[in-house]
C-alpha cells in the first residue's frame, strides 16, 4: 500500500513546474578605502593606482566606480589629483542589463574592464 502512494507522490513532484530561481544578488565587499589618481569619464570615475601610468596617459590597470549622482557631478574637480575613496566593491558581471550598474543614480560602465567596480560613498583629495 505504501508503494503506490510513494509512486504517486514522486509522479506529482516530477510533473510539478520548475520553480524559477531568484536572480543572484550582487556580491559587495565590506567598506574599503582606495587611493590613486582619478580620471572622470561620463558618470563614472577611473582610479589609476600608479602615478607614472596616470601621468603618461596609460589608464590601465584601473578600477571604475561612481559616487551617488549628486556627488559624482562634483568629482570633476578632483580630476588629475591623488584621492582617497571610501566605498564597497561589487563583482562585475557581463550579465548586467545594458552592460552597466546603476549606483545611486550614476551609471558605471566599467571602462577599466576590471573584475570589480567601486560603489563609492566618499572622496577626498590627498595633499
Amino acid at each position: 500500500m505504501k508503494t503506490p502512494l510513494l509512486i504517486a507522490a514522486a509522479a506529482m513532484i516530477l510533473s510539478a513546474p520548475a520553480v524559477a530561481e531568484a536572480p543572484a544578488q550582487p556580491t559587495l565587499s565590506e567598506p574599503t578605502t582606495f587611493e590613486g589618481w582619478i580620471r572622470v569619464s561620463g558618470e563614472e570615475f577611473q582610479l589609476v593606482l600608479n602615478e607614472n601610468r596616470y601621468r603618461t596617459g596609460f589608464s590601465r590597470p584601473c578600477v571604475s566606480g561612481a559616487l551617488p549622482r549628486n556627488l559624482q557631478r562634483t568629482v570633476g574637480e578632483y580630476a588629475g589629483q591623488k584621492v582617497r575613496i571610501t566605498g564597497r566593491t561589487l563583482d562585475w558581471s557581463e550579465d548586467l542589463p545594458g552592460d552597466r550598474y546603476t549606483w545611486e543614480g550614476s551609471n558605471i560602465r566599467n571602462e577599466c574592464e576590471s573584475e570589480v567596480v567601486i560603489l563609492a560613498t566618499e572622496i577626498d583629495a590627498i595633499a
Side-chain angles (χ1 to χ4, degrees), residues 2-15:
K2 289 182 183 178
T3 304
L5 240 56
L6 290 174
I7 292 172
M12 286 176 32
I13 290 171
L14 291 174
S15 65

Side-chain angles (χ1 to χ4, degrees), residues 1-124:
M1 183 91 163
K2 289 182 183 178
T3 304
L5 240 56
L6 290 174
I7 292 172
M12 286 176 32
I13 290 171
L14 291 174
S15 65
V19 176
E21 289 185 31
Q25 294 299 313
T27 303
L28 293 172
S29 72
E30 291 299 314
T32 307
T33 301
F34 308 88
E35 292 184 3
W37 286 260
I38 193 167
R39 291 184 198 276
V40 180
S41 177
E43 293 183 31
E44 76 175 36
F45 61 75
Q46 290 136 17
L47 189 65
V48 181
L49 304 179
N50 180 295
E51 182 179 15
N52 286 338
R53 294 189 77 71
Y54 177 83
R55 299 279 178 227
T56 58
F58 294 109
S59 58
R60 301 243 171 95
C62 62
V63 180
S64 296
L67 288 149
R69 175 161 276 169
N70 287 338
L71 287 173
Q72 183 66 28
R73 289 178 176 157
T74 66
V75 81
E77 69 188 60
Y78 296 98
Q81 296 183 50
K82 186 174 184 183
V83 295
R84 180 176 297 118
I85 294 173
T86 303
R88 297 173 181 258
T89 59
L90 168 74
D91 291 339
W92 186 255
S93 169
E94 296 302 322
D95 297 334
L96 294 170
D99 294 326
R100 69 176 182 269
Y101 183 82
T102 302
W103 166 241
E104 300 283 326
S106 295
N107 289 317
I108 304 171
R109 294 196 170 277
N110 194 11
E111 291 181 21
C112 291
E113 299 179 354
S114 58
E115 293 180 9
V116 298
V117 294
I118 301 171
L119 307 181
T121 54
E122 297 177 37
I123 185 170
D124 294 300

